Amino acid sequence: MTVDEQKLMEFVHRFVGDLGATMAAGGIVVGDRLGLYKALAGGPALPQELAERTGTAPRYVEEWLRGQAAGGYVEYDPQTGQYSLTPEQAFALTDPDGPIFAPGAFQLALGALKAEPRIVTAFKTGEGVGWHEHDEDVFSGCERFFRPAYSANLVAAWIPALDGAEEKLRGGARVADVGCGHGASTELMAKAYPASSFTGSDLHAGSIEHARKRSLAGVTFEVAGAQSFGGGPYDLVTTFDALHDMGDPLGAARHVRSQLKPDGSWLIVEPAAGATVADNLNPVGRAYYSFSAFLCVPSALSQEGGYSLGAQAGEEPIRRLVTDAGFTRFRRVGETPFNIAYEARP
């Protein structure tokens, strides 16, 4: 084997960068949980000062700050020895309700990685790993990762783009939010359209138990799969980053159609993806393929149906599913760097 030294070093640099990023994920979650980022957003600080603001140990905070500065997550002033956050860093690291919240993504990643022994076994057997088998950080991290995009786009852009849906919601519509998880998407819609009624459903009983604690007027939550939820006919059915986790997505699509009114809409929000593998060989595709191998594919293969779209399925497989389920209209109605929104109608 002949090794090109320059190419080898390029690969080593990539490896070192990934190793640092992997370990930094833990530091980001620590910074979020201990309020270190929020405290630092209040103004530049020496390690001792930040420790005093947060009730933490100075030596740990000092090492944490050094690593954060090396990774570009905080700023360091060698003249004063102080650390600080730029407005952009504070924007992405301190507001869980903002349009970008990085700590939630890292919480999800760390939670997913705890299943590594099960995933290794699944690779050998081809069997699935159920969503319920994952660490609690997967469920909380999933909400905290996706909620910012929903907060920024669901009511402001995606629903208004649907044909006639917003008018119905303002007047009083019936909505099913399928695969709702902790209920963040259900909550956002319920608060924006108080005249409407909402039913959130999910196969994971633990997530529904959490969702019920939201105590929202006009909202009920139930444990049910996408192939079995009831209560129709609905004016609107929604699935947010959930269709690709289902073992029988075609069965789910058929059931959604059966629960819709003739003039109803199905809002499908899925991870952003291109049409081919080559189109997805980019940072977003890398993140989603990696999450998919640990979460999405194992979850789908653990269910009846034995089929898995994966997080990077792209538009055409979803269009085929919708068409095969009997829908006659399908179109893209919105997109962000992380999601694409589609509308399907009977």
Side-chain angles (χ1 to χ4, degrees):
M1 178 188 297
T2 302
V3 176
D4 184 308
E5 179 112 8
Q6 181 177 347
K7 291 182 179 179
L8 175 61
M9 292 311 298
E10 289 174 356
F11 183 79
V12 168
H13 289 153
R14 181 185 298 275
F15 144 68
V16 171
D18 286 348
L19 179 62
T22 301
M23 289 305 300
I28 292 164
V29 171
V30 166
D32 173 51
R33 286 183 170 159
L34 294 177
L36 295 170
Y37 291 123
K38 287 187 177 180
L40 195 59
L46 296 168
Q48 175 69 41
E49 294 169 337
L50 184 59
E52 290 174 356
R53 292 179 192 175
T54 55
T56 52
R59 185 62 188 90
Y60 280 98
V61 171
E62 182 178 38
E63 206 72 2
W64 179 83
L65 282 166
R66 290 171 177 173
Q68 293 292 298
Y73 278 68
V74 308
E75 301 301 305
Y76 174 64
D77 185 344
Q79 301 300 318
T80 65
Q82 290 182 315
Y83 296 83
S84 62
L85 290 178
T86 66
E88 294 74 24
Q89 290 164 339
F91 183 83
L93 293 168
T94 65
D95 184 5
D97 296 318
I100 300 173
F101 185 61
F106 288 104
Q107 181 184 0
L108 172 60
L110 290 182
L113 290 173
K114 291 176 184 177
E116 178 266 333
R118 288 194 182 101
I119 298 302
V120 168
T121 300
F123 266 68
K124 294 178 180 178
T125 65
E127 297 177 349
V129 177
W131 187 256
H132 65 282
E133 297 182 67
H134 284 281
D135 185 84
E136 180 61 33
D137 273 346
V138 167
F139 316 134
S140 298
C142 192
E143 176 183 356
R144 298 178 88 213
F145 175 40
F146 286 112
R147 183 187 175 97
Y150 302 161
S151 295
N153 297 283
L154 174 52
V155 173
W158 296 338
I159 286 178
L162 302 177
D163 188 7
E166 186 170 43
E167 182 178 355
K168 295 176 186 176
L169 286 165
R170 295 198 184 284
R174 301 186 69 248
V175 182
D177 189 13
V178 179
C180 68
H182 281 188
S185 50
T186 323
E187 176 187 19
L188 290 167
M189 291 188 290
K191 288 183 175 179
Y193 306 107
S196 293
S197 62
F198 298 83
T199 300
S201 61
D202 200 283
L203 196 60
H204 182 225
S207 289
I208 290 299
E209 182 180 352
H210 187 284
R212 285 173 176 158
K213 295 177 182 178
R214 294 181 181 271
S215 299
L216 297 166
V219 178
T220 58
F221 291 102
E222 63 178 18
V223 178
Q227 298 83 14
S228 61
F229 73 93
Y234 292 101
D235 297 283
L236 174 66
V237 174
T238 60
T239 52
F240 296 96
D241 291 290
L243 186 65
H244 66 273
D245 293 321
M246 299 175 188
D248 182 13
L250 178 57
R254 286 172 173 159
H255 188 65
V256 168
R257 191 182 186 287
S258 74
Q259 293 293 307
L260 269 178
K261 293 180 179 180
D263 63 344
S265 296
W266 179 16
L267 173 60
I268 307 165
V269 177
E270 283 289 292
T276 68
V277 172
D279 291 336
N280 297 323
L281 300 184
N282 52 57
V284 172
R286 182 192 188 195
Y288 277 141
Y289 278 131
S290 299
F291 275 122
S292 190
F294 268 72
L295 295 174
C296 311
V297 169
S299 175
L301 294 181
S302 74
Q303 302 169 40
E304 292 185 7
Y307 184 78
S308 175
L309 279 169
Q312 292 287 270
E315 183 169 339
E316 284 310 307
I318 297 172
R319 181 190 298 273
R320 285 197 299 272
L321 275 174
V322 167
T323 302
D324 290 347
F327 287 87
T328 63
R329 289 164 286 181
F330 178 84
R331 65 189 179 103
R332 182 184 297 208
V333 294
E335 57 187 289
T336 74
F338 296 106
N339 286 108
I340 300 177
Y342 309 98
E343 179 185 33
R345 304 197 70 192

